[in-house]
Structure formats: structure tokens, C-alpha cells
Amino acid sequence: MTTRPEPRSALWRAGWYGFARQLASPNFGARPGGARVDLIVLHSISLPPGQYGGEEVQQLFSNTLDWNAHPYFKSIEGVAVSAHFYIRRNGELWQFVSCDDRAWHAGNSHYRGRDNCNDDSVGIELEGLEGATFEPAQYEALAGLCAAIGQQYPVQHIAGHEHIAPGRKSDPGEGFDWALLQRCLAWPKQCFPR
Ligand SMILES: [Zn+2]
């Protein structure tokens, strides 16, 4: 019996992307049966907000953050959240949940006629501050990642948390350059938020 290697499978293993640092989060569940993963959701996060370069986001997503380490952390104490990916200011890429599974990043949400976007989206967190700008290295890493996700999953849409939960969420916000991402990816305009 011969097995033919699939060109895509070298990059992905059971929903884990080969070029990301892996840190498994306990905060995930199974996707509903038949879920069509056709949406990428972009977020921004930094802990404490506006401070970059620490390990606190990784700790939050792996339920190891010390809630007493900073006054801000008390305001989010006990939350159990995750994203599939996290891109640091220098472009370093982390993965916490297999893209085959459902990460907990979107909350109450609605987009392209469907509710509960966690069911059938891939969530990417950018280290940053809502409304502020992002680094060239982050766009570079993000574009490469989105292209890789698009080769593995039937992605049709990419949107911000602010677009899938308007009024409740406003990340990544005005400082995110959607036009730049579109140029980098060369995906059709209708894939992007209007
Ligand atoms: Zn968000």
C-alpha cells in the first residue's frame, strides 16, 4: 500500500499550524457537527492593556494568570477564554487551540447570517490596544497565517470582533489597516468587512 503525501498536510496536523508555537489551552470545545469554518475573526489584546512583551496573554489563555498580579486583572478574574492564534508585536505566532476545535473568543456574535461565530470561525488575537495601530511584522505574520488557514479551511470571510459583535465589542478598532491586509492577501473585497 502506498500513501501519497498531501502537499497541505505538512503545514497542518489535526488543526495545529506547523509554524506556530504551541501552548494548549483548556478553554475549547468541539465544533458542532458539520460546521463550515468559513470565517476568520480578528481581535486585539494586551495585558495589562497597552503593555506589550510579557507572558500575561499566554497565561490568560492557559488559565495560569495570577489575578492578583495587577489591578486590571481583578476586573477579568475568572474568565475562561481562548483564541486559536496570538500574534505578538514582533510577529511571533502562538497557537492555543486546534482549528478543528471551537475556541472561546467571540462570545455573543452574528455574521454572514449566522449566530455564535465561535462555532465556525478561527480567532486570531493581535497583541495591541483597541483603536491603536499595529506593527508591520504583525501584518506580515497575519497575512501568512490567513493564507495558510485559507488553504486548509473554506474561508470566505474575515472580520473584526467589532463587526461580529457591534455595540458590544470594538476590537481591533480604527487603528487596524484592513486595506493593507487586503493588499497583502489579495483576497476579493467581498471577503472583508464593509
Ligand atoms: Zn475581541
Side-chain angles (χ1 to χ4, degrees), residues 41-45 105-106 124-125 130 160-162 169-172:
V41 179
L42 302 186
H43 305 259
S44 61
I45 189 172
H105 57 97
I124 303 174
E125 297 272 1
E130 196 171 288
H161 205 181
E162 61 194 294
K169 291 290 178 181
S170 41
D171 61 309

PDB file of all heavy atoms in Angstrom, residues 41-45 105-106 124-125 130 160-162 169-172, ligand 1:
ATOM      1  N   VAL A  41     -11.846  35.649  12.518  1.00  0.00           N
ATOM      2  CA  VAL A  41     -12.185  36.804  13.355  1.00  0.00           C
ATOM      3  C   VAL A  41     -10.912  37.372  13.973  1.00  0.00           C
ATOM      4  O   VAL A  41     -10.140  36.640  14.602  1.00  0.00           O
ATOM      5  CB  VAL A  41     -13.170  36.417  14.478  1.00  0.00           C
ATOM      6  CG1 VAL A  41     -13.474  37.632  15.349  1.00  0.00           C
ATOM      7  CG2 VAL A  41     -14.456  35.845  13.898  1.00  0.00           C
ATOM      8  N   LEU A  42     -10.700  38.675  13.776  1.00  0.00           N
ATOM      9  CA  LEU A  42      -9.517  39.347  14.323  1.00  0.00           C
ATOM     10  C   LEU A  42      -9.866  40.109  15.597  1.00  0.00           C
ATOM     11  O   LEU A  42     -10.919  40.745  15.682  1.00  0.00           O
ATOM     12  CB  LEU A  42      -8.942  40.329  13.296  1.00  0.00           C
ATOM     13  CG  LEU A  42      -8.525  39.736  11.956  1.00  0.00           C
ATOM     14  CD1 LEU A  42      -7.847  40.812  11.109  1.00  0.00           C
ATOM     15  CD2 LEU A  42      -7.603  38.543  12.143  1.00  0.00           C
ATOM     16  N   HIS A  43      -8.956  40.012  16.566  1.00  0.00           N
ATOM     17  CA  HIS A  43      -9.110  40.701  17.839  1.00  0.00           C
ATOM     18  C   HIS A  43      -7.816  41.437  18.165  1.00  0.00           C
ATOM     19  O   HIS A  43      -6.774  41.174  17.576  1.00  0.00           O
ATOM     20  CB  HIS A  43      -9.324  39.700  18.977  1.00  0.00           C
ATOM     21  CG  HIS A  43     -10.455  38.758  18.803  1.00  0.00           C
ATOM     22  ND1 HIS A  43     -11.659  38.922  19.429  1.00  0.00           N
ATOM     23  CD2 HIS A  43     -10.557  37.601  18.096  1.00  0.00           C
ATOM     24  CE1 HIS A  43     -12.463  37.910  19.127  1.00  0.00           C
ATOM     25  NE2 HIS A  43     -11.823  37.094  18.316  1.00  0.00           N
ATOM     26  N   SER A  44      -7.902  42.315  19.179  1.00  0.00           N
ATOM     27  CA  SER A  44      -6.688  42.864  19.782  1.00  0.00           C
ATOM     28  C   SER A  44      -6.740  42.617  21.278  1.00  0.00           C
ATOM     29  O   SER A  44      -7.809  42.611  21.887  1.00  0.00           O
ATOM     30  CB  SER A  44      -6.562  44.363  19.500  1.00  0.00           C
ATOM     31  OG  SER A  44      -7.663  45.067  20.042  1.00  0.00           O
ATOM     32  N   ILE A  45      -5.557  42.395  21.849  1.00  0.00           N
ATOM     33  CA  ILE A  45      -5.461  42.157  23.284  1.00  0.00           C
ATOM     34  C   ILE A  45      -4.069  42.527  23.755  1.00  0.00           C
ATOM     35  O   ILE A  45      -3.092  42.385  23.013  1.00  0.00           O
ATOM     36  CB  ILE A  45      -5.762  40.671  23.624  1.00  0.00           C
ATOM     37  CG1 ILE A  45      -5.882  40.460  25.133  1.00  0.00           C
ATOM     38  CG2 ILE A  45      -4.688  39.750  23.043  1.00  0.00           C
ATOM     39  CD1 ILE A  45      -6.378  39.071  25.538  1.00  0.00           C
ATOM     40  N   HIS A 105     -13.532  32.892  21.813  1.00  0.00           N
ATOM     41  CA  HIS A 105     -13.058  34.259  21.578  1.00  0.00           C
ATOM     42  C   HIS A 105     -14.146  35.234  21.188  1.00  0.00           C
ATOM     43  O   HIS A 105     -13.997  36.442  21.384  1.00  0.00           O
ATOM     44  CB  HIS A 105     -11.979  34.246  20.482  1.00  0.00           C
ATOM     45  CG  HIS A 105     -12.446  33.636  19.190  1.00  0.00           C
ATOM     46  ND1 HIS A 105     -12.898  34.402  18.145  1.00  0.00           N
ATOM     47  CD2 HIS A 105     -12.569  32.342  18.796  1.00  0.00           C
ATOM     48  CE1 HIS A 105     -13.254  33.596  17.143  1.00  0.00           C
ATOM     49  NE2 HIS A 105     -13.066  32.352  17.515  1.00  0.00           N
ATOM     50  N   ALA A 106     -15.245  34.755  20.647  1.00  0.00           N
ATOM     51  CA  ALA A 106     -16.214  35.662  20.026  1.00  0.00           C
ATOM     52  C   ALA A 106     -17.353  36.062  20.957  1.00  0.00           C
ATOM     53  O   ALA A 106     -17.828  37.198  20.913  1.00  0.00           O
ATOM     54  CB  ALA A 106     -16.781  35.029  18.755  1.00  0.00           C
ATOM     55  N   ILE A 124      -8.145  35.033  15.813  1.00  0.00           N
ATOM     56  CA  ILE A 124      -6.742  35.465  15.867  1.00  0.00           C
ATOM     57  C   ILE A 124      -6.650  36.736  16.706  1.00  0.00           C
ATOM     58  O   ILE A 124      -7.308  37.735  16.406  1.00  0.00           O
ATOM     59  CB  ILE A 124      -6.188  35.752  14.458  1.00  0.00           C
ATOM     60  CG1 ILE A 124      -6.324  34.518  13.566  1.00  0.00           C
ATOM     61  CG2 ILE A 124      -4.736  36.217  14.544  1.00  0.00           C
ATOM     62  CD1 ILE A 124      -5.920  34.770  12.107  1.00  0.00           C
ATOM     63  N   GLU A 125      -5.841  36.697  17.748  1.00  0.00           N
ATOM     64  CA  GLU A 125      -5.599  37.859  18.599  1.00  0.00           C
ATOM     65  C   GLU A 125      -4.298  38.525  18.168  1.00  0.00           C
ATOM     66  O   GLU A 125      -3.272  37.855  18.003  1.00  0.00           O
ATOM     67  CB  GLU A 125      -5.466  37.446  20.069  1.00  0.00           C
ATOM     68  CG  GLU A 125      -6.709  36.821  20.662  1.00  0.00           C
ATOM     69  CD  GLU A 125      -7.680  37.859  21.245  1.00  0.00           C
ATOM     70  OE1 GLU A 125      -7.384  39.067  21.163  1.00  0.00           O
ATOM     71  OE2 GLU A 125      -8.724  37.429  21.775  1.00  0.00           O
ATOM     72  N   GLU A 130      -6.919  48.227  21.480  1.00  0.00           N
ATOM     73  CA  GLU A 130      -8.091  48.577  20.682  1.00  0.00           C
ATOM     74  C   GLU A 130      -8.021  50.022  20.201  1.00  0.00           C
ATOM     75  O   GLU A 130      -7.844  50.928  21.013  1.00  0.00           O
ATOM     76  CB  GLU A 130      -9.284  48.403  21.616  1.00  0.00           C
ATOM     77  CG  GLU A 130     -10.611  48.325  21.002  1.00  0.00           C
ATOM     78  CD  GLU A 130     -11.593  47.919  22.101  1.00  0.00           C
ATOM     79  OE1 GLU A 130     -11.549  46.757  22.530  1.00  0.00           O
ATOM     80  OE2 GLU A 130     -12.363  48.778  22.538  1.00  0.00           O
ATOM     81  N   GLY A 160     -13.528  41.750  11.999  1.00  0.00           N
ATOM     82  CA  GLY A 160     -13.076  42.046  13.358  1.00  0.00           C
ATOM     83  C   GLY A 160     -14.151  41.660  14.363  1.00  0.00           C
ATOM     84  O   GLY A 160     -15.328  41.507  14.013  1.00  0.00           O
ATOM     85  N   HIS A 161     -13.726  41.528  15.606  1.00  0.00           N
ATOM     86  CA  HIS A 161     -14.692  41.290  16.684  1.00  0.00           C
ATOM     87  C   HIS A 161     -15.769  42.382  16.657  1.00  0.00           C
ATOM     88  O   HIS A 161     -16.938  42.131  16.898  1.00  0.00           O
ATOM     89  CB  HIS A 161     -13.941  41.294  18.023  1.00  0.00           C
ATOM     90  CG  HIS A 161     -14.617  40.518  19.105  1.00  0.00           C
ATOM     91  ND1 HIS A 161     -14.100  40.421  20.372  1.00  0.00           N
ATOM     92  CD2 HIS A 161     -15.783  39.802  19.119  1.00  0.00           C
ATOM     93  CE1 HIS A 161     -14.922  39.671  21.118  1.00  0.00           C
ATOM     94  NE2 HIS A 161     -15.932  39.296  20.386  1.00  0.00           N
ATOM     95  N   GLU A 162     -15.336  43.611  16.340  1.00  0.00           N
ATOM     96  CA  GLU A 162     -16.264  44.748  16.284  1.00  0.00           C
ATOM     97  C   GLU A 162     -17.347  44.557  15.213  1.00  0.00           C
ATOM     98  O   GLU A 162     -18.422  45.146  15.315  1.00  0.00           O
ATOM     99  CB  GLU A 162     -15.469  46.026  15.980  1.00  0.00           C
ATOM    100  CG  GLU A 162     -14.755  45.968  14.634  1.00  0.00           C
ATOM    101  CD  GLU A 162     -13.702  47.062  14.464  1.00  0.00           C
ATOM    102  OE1 GLU A 162     -14.082  48.242  14.411  1.00  0.00           O
ATOM    103  OE2 GLU A 162     -12.499  46.732  14.377  1.00  0.00           O
ATOM    104  N   LYS A 169     -18.465  44.993  21.272  1.00  0.00           N
ATOM    105  CA  LYS A 169     -17.014  44.892  21.142  1.00  0.00           C
ATOM    106  C   LYS A 169     -16.519  45.890  20.104  1.00  0.00           C
ATOM    107  O   LYS A 169     -17.233  46.188  19.129  1.00  0.00           O
ATOM    108  CB  LYS A 169     -16.611  43.475  20.711  1.00  0.00           C
ATOM    109  CG  LYS A 169     -16.845  42.428  21.792  1.00  0.00           C
ATOM    110  CD  LYS A 169     -15.866  42.617  22.942  1.00  0.00           C
ATOM    111  CE  LYS A 169     -16.114  41.611  24.059  1.00  0.00           C
ATOM    112  NZ  LYS A 169     -15.184  41.803  25.182  1.00  0.00           N
ATOM    113  N   SER A 170     -15.303  46.395  20.294  1.00  0.00           N
ATOM    114  CA  SER A 170     -14.777  47.350  19.313  1.00  0.00           C
ATOM    115  C   SER A 170     -13.317  47.078  18.964  1.00  0.00           C
ATOM    116  O   SER A 170     -12.591  47.966  18.530  1.00  0.00           O
ATOM    117  CB  SER A 170     -14.949  48.787  19.807  1.00  0.00           C
ATOM    118  OG  SER A 170     -14.649  48.884  21.174  1.00  0.00           O
ATOM    119  N   ASP A 171     -12.900  45.825  19.123  1.00  0.00           N
ATOM    120  CA  ASP A 171     -11.540  45.475  18.693  1.00  0.00           C
ATOM    121  C   ASP A 171     -11.581  44.790  17.324  1.00  0.00           C
ATOM    122  O   ASP A 171     -12.609  44.201  16.981  1.00  0.00           O
ATOM    123  CB  ASP A 171     -10.855  44.565  19.744  1.00  0.00           C
ATOM    124  CG  ASP A 171     -11.582  43.238  19.968  1.00  0.00           C
ATOM    125  OD1 ASP A 171     -12.809  43.262  20.199  1.00  0.00           O
ATOM    126  OD2 ASP A 171     -10.931  42.185  19.905  1.00  0.00           O
ATOM    127  N   PRO A 172     -10.531  44.880  16.513  1.00  0.00           N
ATOM    128  CA  PRO A 172      -9.277  45.570  16.819  1.00  0.00           C
ATOM    129  C   PRO A 172      -9.367  47.088  16.704  1.00  0.00           C
ATOM    130  O   PRO A 172      -8.480  47.775  17.178  1.00  0.00           O
ATOM    131  CB  PRO A 172      -8.292  45.010  15.782  1.00  0.00           C
ATOM    132  CG  PRO A 172      -9.144  44.638  14.621  1.00  0.00           C
ATOM    133  CD  PRO A 172     -10.456  44.175  15.209  1.00  0.00           C
TER     134      PRO A 172
HETATM  135 ZN    ZN B   1     -12.094  40.551  20.719  1.00  0.00          ZN
END
